Amino acid sequence: MRATLMFGAGDVRVENVPDPELRQPTDAIVRVVRTCICGSDLHPYHTQPASADGVRMGHEFLGVVEDLGSEVSGLKRGDLVVAPFAFSDNTCEFCREGLHTSCTSGGFFSEAQSEALRVPQAQGTLVKLPVAEDSELLPSLLTLADVYGTGYHAAVKAGVNERTTVTVIGDGAVGLLAVLSAKQLGAERIILMGRHQTRTDLGREFGATDVVAERGEEGIAKVRELTGGFGTHTVLEAVGYRAAYDQAVGVVRPGGVISRVGVPQYEEAPVGFGSLFGPNITLNGGPAPVRAYIDALLPDVLDGRVEPGKVFDRTVTLDEVPDGYRAMDDRESLKVLVRP
Amino acid sequence: MRATLMFGAGDVRVENVPDPELRQPTDAIVRVVRTCICGSDLHPYHTQPASADGVRMGHEFLGVVEDLGSEVSGLKRGDLVVAPFAFSDNTCEFCREGLHTSCTSGGFFSEAQSEALRVPQAQGTLVKLPVAEDSELLPSLLTLADVYGTGYHAAVKAGVNERTTVTVIGDGAVGLLAVLSAKQLGAERIILMGRHQTRTDLGREFGATDVVAERGEEGIAKVRELTGGFGTHTVLEAVGYRAAYDQAVGVVRPGGVISRVGVPQYEEAPVGFGSLFGPNITLNGGPAPVRAYIDALLPDVLDGRVEPGKVFDRTVTLDEVPDGYRAMDDRESLKVLVRP
């Protein structure tokens, strides 16, 4: 079958690879119906060391169950399913606490930009979708695999509610869906920091009340000006660069929360008296336990009350995936949907 | 009057200074009945640059109101009062949220190791104590000014309750009172990391169920061993050195909280995928808004149900304060009470 491999920074190819096979009785094989390229895929696209064998790519997919291990129940061949970007048994102590990304039998998918893949812990991981393979809802349903759940995680961890003001840093798919999530959780004032107008326009459609295009000190000053000088109660950081962290520290209100879901491209950052400690700022977030949110988010997607799939602005075939990476990296495309 | 001044690292003197005077109609003058030396005073004791004029010291006190500005109500001359280490108006939007350390009219005391001092925002700051000036409860009541409220803040911010396991890092007064606070909030498993047995013995008396004397990687391994390999849900960091931060990251359970109240002696620290982000750790804490907790903590102190004053193991006169600093710095004394 065909699958996407990255052979180094900027070097994405679609090649023939062996078909996936069941290895554990808890596995399933899923034929991919929709997958996509993630903003976080651009990090290795910039930094991946060159390798002869390449590395399989992709962690977001929905598809049809083709085969099932003997210990998987509740699913059957032909089911249309969506998977969170992390697989998990959904029964361990961390899963029971809603932290599926720390599942003791879990891990992260990395082979989804392909025709098919093996799904470990299939019973705990896959969620059956009550629609047909040709449903117009597929793009929105695919966002449950990562970007919608990730934006929602940012808003939940920040404690967004009707009394909290919100700044969202980043106008990528996760940032825009953090706006949507904050709105769903009742926020009335949502400031979106982003400088690509087509994206921030979608942010306004999702619920942003203000857009700040400036960055760095200028952007911080603007947010403070909009919030009586103090910044917002919550800051949802959906970028992952150190500059975004510094911006978050600059716009968060004393006693507030910085919730990060952009994968940090740094290890150390300011946390001392002059940044987090003095004003009693909370820093949280991490890889979103998307599995924990699918059940809650699914009904509004099925009803069409929300349309998170609007973040997809281009659709490609599997063979066109390399150009999809290029388009996202060039900011020509916000998020690329793939129909294998 | 006599007051403590620090003229540089290791150079503490008690000298004559002008008597305090009312400056604002919201001020009070308080004669100090008890003050003390704080673990955080040892940081400048190690690092303060030399100066000709010296810097006034001390932020913990209880005393008797001697004079009041025209706009202070609810207090009268002769009242015995305790003050949180930060003064605040108790009415601004941050005070109303319980974040008195970020009061828009607030600040930190720094002249309490003396015979008397001026108290800004007296009405919002001072809390009347229903005991006499010779009460045996004074040491415990004095801990409401800082160390007890600070330990309590650590436990509250960490979300300690009967279902959370707790690690307390540091066997200083704040660490020990973080143990006491965690116990009050219902924690059943409290691991105290400290290596001074007289102190950890008091920690056990306050509620610690386990003591880990090892530090660094060895200490981390010990705590993990005690907790099924995962660490504790909450970590209360009451030291402030970077090594204590690293230890906190090492012993916190995925999805857990590191709550810091030790004043950070570092600005940058790891917060990336390998430390906080990957396992969805929350980092919070800061200077404790002690004023917010006094009303809740006072009854148990008055009833003798808790005796936080046990952290004082030496009492000195004002003129003996320099030796008190030395004794605390030499670990000869846990916490020094001062009777001016």
Side-chain angles (χ1 to χ4, degrees):
Chain A
M1 67 158 192
R2 306 285 284 166
T4 304
L5 294 114
M6 187 178 286
F7 287 83
D11 185 2
V12 176
R13 306 177 210 166
V14 177
E15 300 202 339
N16 290 320
V17 301
D19 287 347
E21 289 177 0
L22 295 175
R23 284 188 214 158
Q24 303 289 331
T26 46
D27 287 351
I29 302 299
V30 171
R31 171 172 58 82
V32 176
V33 173
R34 294 288 185 282
T35 177
C36 52
I37 304 171
C38 186
S40 68
D41 293 333
L42 297 181
H43 294 314
Y45 190 70
H46 296 145
T47 61
Q48 182 90 5
S51 69
D53 296 335
V55 175
R56 290 278 297 273
M57 294 297 297
H59 53 266
E60 301 157 285
F61 66 100
L62 54 76
V64 172
V65 175
E66 295 227 310
D67 203 359
L68 287 165
S70 59
E71 290 178 14
V72 183
S73 66
L75 291 168
K76 60 179 194 306
R77 291 181 191 189
D79 281 347
L80 185 71
V81 292
V82 66
F85 66 86
F87 56 85
S88 59
D89 60 23
N90 208 21
T91 58
C92 80
E93 64 180 291
F94 293 103
C95 286
R96 287 199 306 273
E97 293 173 10
L99 192 64
H100 296 72
T101 45
S102 292
C103 174
T104 54
S105 308
F108 296 98
F109 286 110
S110 60
E111 304 190 335
Q113 290 161 2
S114 61
E115 289 184 83
L117 77 163
R118 181 176 74 92
V119 176
Q121 301 296 339
Q123 186 176 323
T125 302
L126 298 173
V127 178
K128 192 167 160 22
L129 295 172
V131 301
E133 208 179 313
D134 62 352
S135 166
E136 288 185 356
L137 292 174
L138 293 198
S140 284
L141 291 166
L142 179 59
T143 65
L144 294 170
D146 184 349
V147 285
Y148 185 15
T150 294
Y152 194 75
H153 184 56
V156 166
K157 293 295 285 182
V160 169
N161 61 41
E162 58 284 347
R163 295 178 308 281
T164 51
T165 49
V166 181
T167 301
V168 174
I169 299 178
D171 58 9
V174 171
L176 298 180
L177 291 170
V179 169
L180 178 72
S181 299
K183 176 79 175 174
Q184 280 186 291
L185 292 170
E188 290 170 3
R189 184 80 185 275
I190 304 171
I191 301 169
L192 173 59
M193 302 190 82
R195 59 200 181 114
H196 303 86
Q197 206 195 325
T198 53
R199 301 177 181 196
T200 56
D201 283 351
L202 182 55
R204 286 187 192 273
E205 192 180 327
F206 281 162
T209 52
D210 304 83
V211 169
V212 171
E214 294 84 353
R215 299 199 292 183
E217 287 306 317
E218 210 180 340
I220 290 168
K222 197 72 183 285
V223 173
R224 288 182 171 268
E225 186 187 313
L226 288 169
T227 54
F230 293 125
T232 56
H233 299 91
T234 66
V235 180
L236 317 186
E237 198 283 87
V239 176
Y241 288 118
R242 175 60 199 278
Y245 180 95
D246 294 338
Q247 204 159 298
V249 170
V251 302
V252 68
R253 191 172 180 278
V257 184
I258 297 171
S259 176
R260 291 180 301 165
V261 290
V263 181
Q265 301 303 300
Y266 51 88
E267 187 55 37
E268 298 219 341
V271 298
F273 206 98
S275 49
L276 304 187
F277 189 86
N280 269 278
I281 303 306
T282 294
L283 176 70
N284 63 23
V290 172
R291 180 64 189 84
Y293 303 127
I294 292 181
D295 298 336
L297 299 179
L298 188 55
D300 279 3
V301 174
L302 292 173
D303 289 353
R305 271 194 293 270
V306 293
E307 292 184 74
K310 285 189 173 178
V311 295
F312 294 110
D313 57 355
R314 177 179 300 209
T315 302
V316 300
T317 64
L318 193 54
D319 284 332
E320 293 166 339
V321 162
D323 191 59
Y325 273 79
R326 184 208 52 75
M328 278 179 64
D329 193 42
D330 290 349
R331 310 272 164 166
E332 199 178 288
S333 177
L334 168 56
K335 191 168 176 72
V336 172
L337 184 70
V338 182
R339 300 170 68 136
Chain B
M1 67 157 191
R2 305 285 284 166
T4 304
L5 295 114
M6 187 178 286
F7 288 84
D11 186 2
V12 176
R13 307 178 209 165
V14 177
E15 301 202 340
N16 291 320
V17 301
D19 288 346
E21 288 177 1
L22 294 175
R23 285 187 212 157
Q24 302 289 332
T26 47
D27 287 350
I29 302 299
V30 171
R31 171 172 58 83
V32 176
V33 172
R34 294 289 184 282
T35 177
C36 52
I37 304 172
C38 186
S40 69
D41 292 333
L42 297 180
H43 293 314
Y45 191 70
H46 295 145
T47 60
Q48 181 90 7
S51 70
D53 296 334
V55 175
R56 288 281 296 273
M57 294 297 296
H59 52 267
E60 300 156 286
F61 66 100
L62 54 75
V64 172
V65 174
E66 295 227 309
D67 203 1
L68 287 165
S70 59
E71 290 179 15
V72 182
S73 66
L75 292 168
K76 60 179 193 306
R77 290 182 190 187
D79 281 347
L80 185 70
V81 292
V82 65
F85 67 86
F87 57 85
S88 59
D89 60 23
N90 208 20
T91 57
C92 80
E93 62 180 293
F94 293 103
C95 286
R96 287 199 306 273
E97 292 173 10
L99 192 63
H100 297 72
T101 44
S102 292
C103 174
T104 53
S105 309
F108 296 98
F109 285 110
S110 60
E111 305 190 335
Q113 289 161 4
S114 62
E115 290 185 81
L117 76 164
R118 182 177 73 92
V119 176
Q121 300 296 340
Q123 186 176 323
T125 302
L126 298 173
V127 178
K128 193 167 161 19
L129 295 171
V131 299
E133 207 177 314
D134 61 353
S135 166
E136 289 184 356
L137 293 174
L138 293 198
S140 284
L141 292 166
L142 179 58
T143 66
L144 294 170
D146 183 348
V147 284
Y148 185 16
T150 294
Y152 193 75
H153 184 56
V156 166
K157 291 296 284 183
V160 170
N161 61 42
E162 58 283 349
R163 295 178 309 282
T164 52
T165 49
V166 181
T167 300
V168 174
I169 298 179
D171 57 10
V174 171
L176 298 180
L177 291 170
V179 169
L180 178 72
S181 300
K183 177 78 175 172
Q184 281 186 291
L185 291 170
E188 289 170 6
R189 185 80 185 274
I190 304 171
I191 301 169
L192 173 59
M193 302 190 82
R195 60 200 180 115
H196 302 86
Q197 205 194 324
T198 53
R199 300 178 182 197
T200 56
D201 283 350
L202 182 55
R204 286 187 193 271
E205 193 181 327
F206 281 161
T209 52
D210 304 83
V211 169
V212 171
E214 294 84 353
R215 301 198 291 182
E217 287 307 318
E218 211 181 338
I220 290 168
K222 198 72 182 288
V223 173
R224 288 180 171 270
E225 188 187 312
L226 288 169
T227 53
F230 293 125
T232 55
H233 300 91
T234 66
V235 180
L236 318 186
E237 198 283 88
V239 176
Y241 288 118
R242 174 58 199 279
Y245 180 95
D246 294 339
Q247 204 159 297
V249 170
V251 301
V252 69
R253 190 173 181 279
V257 183
I258 297 170
S259 176
R260 291 180 302 165
V261 291
V263 180
Q265 301 303 300
Y266 52 87
E267 187 55 36
E268 298 218 343
V271 298
F273 206 98
S275 50
L276 304 187
F277 189 86
N280 269 277
I281 304 305
T282 295
L283 176 69
N284 63 23
V290 172
R291 180 65 188 86
Y293 303 126
I294 292 180
D295 298 336
L297 299 179
L298 188 55
D300 279 3
V301 174
L302 292 173
D303 288 353
R305 273 194 292 270
V306 294
E307 293 183 73
K310 286 187 173 178
V311 295
F312 293 110
D313 58 356
R314 178 179 299 211
T315 303
V316 300
T317 64
L318 194 53
D319 284 332
E320 293 165 339
V321 162
D323 192 58
Y325 273 79
R326 184 208 52 77
M328 280 180 64
D329 193 41
D330 289 348
R331 309 273 164 165
E332 199 178 289
S333 177
L334 168 55
K335 191 168 176 72
V336 172
L337 184 70
V338 183
R339 299 170 69 137

